[in-house]
């Protein structure tokens, strides 16, 4: 997790009594270090990433770093129990899958990480069969700006976290089947397909499934959901408040009670 010292968006006029910057005493770490990301690597670690993005999965499998990254992605599927291998059902649409490869860079433009993501070809889905509701609320930049202003006013730090493979945590209700990942066919069951238990990137209902699960968890923890901004959750204890703002797979949170952390 990293702390963001926050300045209110210039488009949002803060009331005169609200300060626009956090006091330096509220900034975690050395304020002179500048922006820090979760991808801060030492120079020697750059040697363990591939500099080129492969154009196909076949090309990726011939590169040790990319092949490892693909296996890491599939290991997340196993850990989160995203799917199960089943005989091909009759009369069901089998949605294809494909690999998407991206190099992640730090603020200086250095490639620090290879990211391989298996996605479903969601354009094959049929409404009412493979998916129903797909809408998921997303926090507006004005809401985040107001949260920063409120944190300044109440004099407490904000934290930010990224949920790894967020969509893979979303439960789906529909019966959805996908094909074997390209390059990773189960040779003992080549005619089988994968039945999804969790949402897969690329599925139309994936954002909604993730948001619904996170919402349920927060409400189980006695958080109240905003009536206007559905991505804002609050929990009060006496005079203190814990605030959580959701932006797809990122979460900004803070509390006026230091004991919470």
């Amino acid at each position: 997790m990293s702390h963001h010292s926050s300045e209110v968006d210039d488009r949002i006029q803060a009331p005169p009594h609200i300060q626009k910057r956090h006091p330096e005493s509220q900034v975690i770490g050395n304020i002179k270090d500048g922006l820090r990301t979760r991808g801060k690597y030492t120079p020697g670690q750059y040697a363990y990433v591939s500099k080129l993005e492969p154009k196909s999965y076949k090309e990726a499998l011939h590169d040790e770093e990319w092949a490892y990254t693909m296996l890491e992605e599939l290991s997340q599927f196993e850990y989160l129990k995203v799917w199960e291998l089943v005989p091909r059902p009759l009369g069901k649409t089998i949605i294809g899958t494909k690999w998407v490869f991206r190099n992640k860079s730090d603020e200086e433009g250095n490639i620090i990480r290879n990211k391989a993501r298996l996605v479903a070809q969601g354009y094959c889905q049929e409404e009412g069969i493979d998916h129903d509701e797909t809408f998921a609320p997303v926090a507006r930049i004005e809401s985040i700006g107001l949260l920063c202003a409120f944190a300044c006013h109440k004099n407490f730090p904000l934290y930010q976290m990224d949920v790894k493979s967020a969509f893979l945590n979303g439960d789906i209700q529909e019966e959805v089947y996908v094909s074997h990942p390209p390059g990773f066919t189960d040779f003992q069951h080549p005619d089988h397909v994968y039945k999804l238990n969790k949402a897969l990137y690329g599925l139309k209902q994936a954002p909604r499934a993730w948001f619904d699960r996170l919402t349920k968890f927060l409400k189980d923890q006695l958080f109240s959901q905003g009536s206007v901004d559905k991505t804002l959750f609050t929990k009060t204890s006496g005079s203190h408040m814990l605030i959580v703002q959701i932006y797809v797979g990122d979460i900004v949170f803070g509390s006026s009670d230091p004991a919470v952390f």
Side-chain angles (χ1 to χ4, degrees):
M1 295 185 297
S2 59
H3 172 268
H4 291 264
S5 57
S6 309
E7 184 171 2
V8 180
D9 195 313
D10 291 337
R11 293 171 294 179
I12 304 174
Q13 296 298 319
H17 64 279
I18 295 181
Q19 56 185 332
K20 287 193 173 184
R21 293 181 182 275
H22 272 301
E24 291 190 13
S25 60
Q26 291 290 327
V27 178
I28 300 174
N30 188 347
I31 196 172
K32 297 182 180 179
D33 285 345
L35 177 66
R36 295 183 63 85
T37 70
R38 60 178 177 174
K40 276 291 185 183
Y41 284 66
T42 58
Q45 289 175 295
Y46 293 131
Y48 298 100
V49 297
S50 179
K51 305 299 182 183
L52 300 176
E53 294 178 357
K55 296 181 174 60
S56 68
Y57 75 90
K58 293 181 179 179
E59 183 179 325
L61 288 172
H62 284 87
D63 186 311
E64 183 179 352
E65 286 76 21
W66 281 110
Y68 175 79
T69 303
M70 295 164 77
L71 289 172
E72 184 182 30
E73 172 79 349
L74 293 178
S75 70
Q76 283 291 310
F77 283 40
E78 295 298 321
Y79 175 72
L80 297 172
K81 296 180 173 56
V82 171
W83 57 17
E84 55 185 308
L85 195 63
V86 299
R88 179 183 292 264
L90 296 176
K92 296 290 185 180
T93 300
I94 309 302
I95 299 172
T97 58
K98 67 176 183 179
W99 288 100
V100 176
F101 304 103
R102 291 288 183 271
N103 282 327
K104 300 291 186 178
S105 303
D106 61 12
E107 65 272 16
E108 297 174 353
N110 299 308
I111 297 174
I112 58 174
R113 185 183 175 206
N114 301 137
K115 177 64 179 178
R117 175 160 286 165
L118 184 70
V119 302
Q121 296 173 320
Y123 56 81
C124 299
Q125 291 182 269
E126 297 183 44
E127 186 174 359
I129 299 177
D130 302 308
H131 72 89
D132 291 310
E133 181 63 61
T134 62
F135 173 78
V138 177
R140 293 170 58 87
I141 188 63
E142 291 85 358
S143 298
I144 297 174
L146 288 172
L147 174 59
C148 293
F150 181 76
C152 289
H153 176 54
K154 294 297 184 180
N155 197 31
F156 65 81
L158 289 175
Y159 301 83
Q160 182 269 339
M161 64 176 290
D162 174 71
V163 181
K164 185 176 182 180
S165 303
F167 286 4
L168 300 183
N169 291 278
D171 298 313
I172 60 174
Q173 307 303 319
E174 301 83 6
E175 194 173 346
V176 181
Y177 299 89
V178 299
S179 60
H180 293 251
F184 293 88
T185 299
D186 188 320
F187 291 109
Q188 292 184 342
H189 305 92
D191 296 325
H192 282 40
V193 294
Y194 285 96
K195 181 180 184 297
L196 294 182
N197 302 315
K198 303 285 183 66
L200 196 63
Y201 283 90
L203 290 182
K204 295 181 184 296
Q205 65 266 49
R208 182 71 187 190
W210 156 243
F211 183 81
D212 285 348
R213 184 173 185 190
L214 183 55
T215 296
K216 181 180 184 302
F217 171 80
L218 290 172
K219 286 184 174 180
D220 288 345
Q221 304 303 312
L222 304 180
F223 278 82
S224 298
Q225 186 174 18
S227 57
V228 177
D229 185 351
K230 299 297 184 180
T231 65
L232 183 67
F233 296 82
T234 59
K235 182 177 181 180
T236 57
S237 176
S239 61
H240 293 290
M241 177 181 292
L242 175 59
I243 303 177
V244 175
Q245 180 92 57
I246 302 170
Y247 187 85
V248 191
D250 291 280
I251 301 175
V252 179
F253 59 97
S255 174
S256 57
D257 182 7
V260 171
F261 304 105

